[in-house]
Amino acid sequence: MNDSAGWASPGSTPADSSDPTTTPAGPPPAADQPNQPGLPDQPDQPGVPDQPGAPDRSDKGGQGDQADAPPAPPTPPTAPVPNVPPVPPNWSPNQPPPGRWNGPGTPSGTSSGPVPPPPPPPAPGYTPPPSGYGNGGWGAPPPQGWGWSGVSGQGPGPVPPWRQAPYAPKPGVIPLRPLGVGEIFDGAIATMRIHWRTVFGISLVVALLTVTASTLVNGFFFDHGSGVDALRSTPDPTLHDVVHAAGDTLAGGLLTSVISILGQIVATAMLTMIVSRAVLGRATDANEAWRDARPQVPRLLGLTLLLPLIASAVLTVSVAPGTAVALLGNGDAGTGFIALGILVGTVVAVWLLVSLCLASPALMLERQGVLTSIARSFRLVRGTWWRVFGVQLLSVLLTLVVTSIIGIPFSMVASVASGGGTTGWPYLIITGLGTVVGATLTFPFSAGVSVLLYLDQRIRKESLDVELIRAAAPTRPTG
């Protein structure tokens, strides 16, 4: 039972008797408790001796000794009353009658044992969450705004403050925490959906310029008797004709590649700025994106040209031993070494390109140089190479699928319009339109995946989410 002052077990008496064996099992008579008003007289219980000083209740006249009194008639047996500890002297003399306290669900008149103490009051300042909120773990709806939510996976009902799970704020297109692969792709698509005017406007302008220039170059270099077509129309070409045709083909291909690289660099630089602002929930127009990206465009051009040179150098070094063996006269062994060198060089080149894939967003967003950005990309990718490789590979595959789905109908129409050939202005113009549509859709996606993958790696390795949360917080006026 509760052993606190002011409370005693039902049926107990004050423990001021020197002999515990003389303690009655039930409440004492009213005569022995002059300070307990309101308690009725209770009959004697068998087997309990009278207390010293108590009057002889069997003598109606109040005279004679107890031994001379006639024996009391036998009383029916009653249920035994459990022994309870004596009541301390400092307890209240007014105790509740026995057999009156029942627990929940206990029939009336049946004692249910000790009554549990009431629950402690809540801590000062604690406000319970709204009812019905907190079921479902991370899938539960977040609170209004963004911050920390009271989400718990322990079932319905109010969530205690010590079991609240953190909720990542999402001021923009992604939640500010380590991202999954689907969240990276969803963030890139969300940027295209929310900021579609700026994103598709930049992509469309860049794609139109690059495709138009490439179409003109291809039309003049690979048509009207230039390049490979010149060899086809010559029945017995000379060495001069072959060299001239090869030179024209290489010049046209190089010029087309330079135009495409320049357009890709400009689009990547501007879209990187737009995606980085979209993460914080801020909109950016084309002028602001170009103003922020323009100082880093020359460095981005150098980085873009350096990466293919690194891969080409790796492949050249890997096939050099086999080429040397073949030149020394052992053709079969040289061919085997060359094949092995190509395989090893390809593996090393892929490893290098994946390790350097975050150099471009690092250069643009951290305002670093080319070599510093390369070192930053190595550090960010280290330890998670396979994950970065998987994300980039999936992004490339999705880009190729979209480009093919869009380009195949245009190629079929162009082939019909040009009479079944693959040259001529009708073919170049129609396929160029398909290239413009495909580039307009894929430029923002590829740039968004690269930027979000870079931010995800920095969040995982450098806790960048803390800085992003601080940067995304609304500014409060001072004073």
Side-chain angles (χ1 to χ4, degrees):
M1 296 299 294
N2 196 347
D3 198 15
S4 58
W7 173 261
S9 302
S12 60
T13 58
D16 54 355
S17 174
S18 60
D19 188 2
T21 60
T22 61
T23 304
D32 290 341
Q33 299 182 7
N35 296 328
Q36 297 183 8
L39 291 181
D41 293 342
Q42 298 183 5
D44 294 335
Q45 298 181 2
V48 180
D50 292 339
Q51 297 184 4
D56 188 4
R57 301 174 66 99
S58 62
D59 190 0
K60 300 184 184 299
Q63 296 179 358
D65 192 60
Q66 186 175 358
D68 299 335
T75 58
T78 59
V81 180
N83 271 337
V84 293
V87 181
N90 58 344
W91 283 18
S92 171
N94 297 325
Q95 302 298 324
R100 300 289 181 88
W101 301 94
N102 299 328
T106 306
S108 178
T110 305
S111 178
S112 62
V115 180
Y126 168 68
T127 302
S131 61
Y133 182 69
N135 185 18
W138 288 101
Q144 295 295 330
W146 50 276
W148 301 105
S149 74
V151 183
S152 172
Q154 301 299 322
V159 182
W162 58 86
R163 297 200 64 88
Q164 291 178 356
Y167 169 75
K170 187 179 179 181
V173 294
I174 59 170
L176 300 182
R177 56 169 171 77
L179 304 175
V181 178
E183 291 174 323
I184 293 176
F185 292 159
D186 181 70
I189 296 174
T191 304
M192 298 166 59
R193 185 179 66 253
I194 297 174
H195 308 281
W196 62 273
R197 289 186 177 88
T198 306
V199 167
F200 289 129
I202 294 174
S203 300
L204 180 61
V205 171
V206 172
L208 277 175
L209 293 177
T210 56
V211 171
T212 300
S214 299
T215 301
L216 294 176
V217 170
N218 291 330
F220 286 110
F221 274 91
F222 301 118
D223 202 2
H224 305 294
S226 300
V228 179
D229 289 339
L231 294 178
R232 294 175 180 173
S233 59
T234 304
D236 190 9
T238 62
L239 180 61
H240 175 74
D241 295 335
V242 173
V243 172
H244 181 71
D248 290 345
T249 302
L250 290 176
L254 181 62
L255 184 58
T256 303
S257 299
V258 169
I259 294 173
S260 300
I261 290 175
L262 290 177
Q264 183 179 0
I265 289 173
V266 173
T268 300
M270 298 180 68
L271 292 174
T272 298
M273 296 302 172
I274 295 175
V275 175
S276 64
R277 302 298 193 277
V279 170
L280 303 178
R282 300 173 184 173
T284 305
D285 56 9
N287 293 330
E288 184 179 357
W290 173 246
R291 185 170 61 250
D292 293 340
R294 184 174 55 188
Q296 294 295 106
V297 169
R299 295 177 179 177
L300 183 61
L301 175 61
L303 177 65
T304 305
L305 296 177
L306 181 60
L307 296 181
L309 290 178
I310 293 176
S312 301
V314 170
L315 291 175
T316 302
V317 171
S318 63
V319 300
T323 304
V325 171
L327 292 177
L328 292 176
N330 194 346
D332 295 337
T335 303
F337 278 112
I338 289 175
L340 181 61
I342 291 175
L343 178 61
V344 174
T346 302
V347 173
V348 175
V350 170
W351 179 82
L352 283 174
L353 291 178
V354 173
S355 300
L356 299 177
C357 67
L358 302 183
S360 175
L363 183 143
M364 295 301 302
L365 298 179
E366 298 181 21
R367 308 285 180 175
Q368 302 288 347
V370 175
L371 298 181
T372 307
S373 302
I374 290 176
R376 285 284 292 154
S377 181
F378 268 113
R379 287 196 297 269
L380 291 175
V381 177
R382 184 185 299 122
T384 57
W385 187 92
W386 285 106
R387 180 177 183 273
V388 175
F389 170 74
V391 173
Q392 293 285 18
L393 179 61
L394 187 57
S395 173
V396 171
L397 291 178
L398 291 176
T399 302
L400 291 177
V401 169
V402 173
T403 304
S404 301
I405 292 176
I406 296 175
I408 288 176
F410 282 92
S411 298
M412 295 175 62
V413 173
S415 179
V416 173
S418 61
T422 57
T423 56
W425 288 107
Y427 183 87
L428 294 176
I429 292 175
I430 296 176
T431 54
L433 290 177
T435 305
V436 169
V437 176
T440 303
L441 295 178
T442 56
F443 272 167
F445 180 77
S446 300
V449 170
S450 298
V451 174
L452 296 180
L453 182 59
Y454 160 79
L455 294 177
D456 175 62
Q457 290 299 112
R458 289 198 61 185
I459 289 174
R460 293 173 182 271
K461 292 179 175 290
E462 302 173 358
S463 299
L464 182 65
D465 52 339
V466 178
E467 297 297 330
L468 293 177
I469 292 172
R470 186 180 297 113
T475 56
R476 298 179 180 179
T478 59

